Amino acid sequence: MSFTFGLEAAKAAELDEPGAMKALIGLKLSASARFQDRPGACKLIEAAASRGDQTMAQRLADCRAN
């Protein structure tokens, strides 16, 4: 994966493309040193949960625990 892929994923998430936010969160929670960003992922999870995404609401507890 390239850095450009990460930027494109971020743009898609900003544009609210279907599945893009979930993909970007997965990328930020990955083991990849290039993309790993747990605090950033938790911010995105919090934003998605605040918009009513029940799946992300469940994941938010994990962010708060760690």
Side-chain angles (χ1 to χ4, degrees):
M1 272 190 258
S2 69
F3 182 72
T4 304
F5 174 77
L7 291 176
E8 292 300 317
K11 285 182 192 177
E14 288 175 9
L15 295 172
D16 205 23
E17 292 288 335
M21 183 67 73
K22 184 177 177 181
L24 183 57
I25 289 168
L27 192 60
K28 288 179 175 279
L29 292 175
S30 74
S32 170
R34 178 174 271 179
F35 298 113
Q36 190 176 49
D37 177 15
R38 183 169 179 78
C42 288
K43 284 183 182 180
L44 293 174
I45 290 169
E46 187 172 3
S50 72
R51 289 192 306 265
D53 186 325
Q54 293 302 311
T55 303
M56 293 300 155
Q58 293 169 357
R59 294 182 81 175
L60 187 56
D62 291 336
C63 282
R64 291 182 176 156
N66 294 316

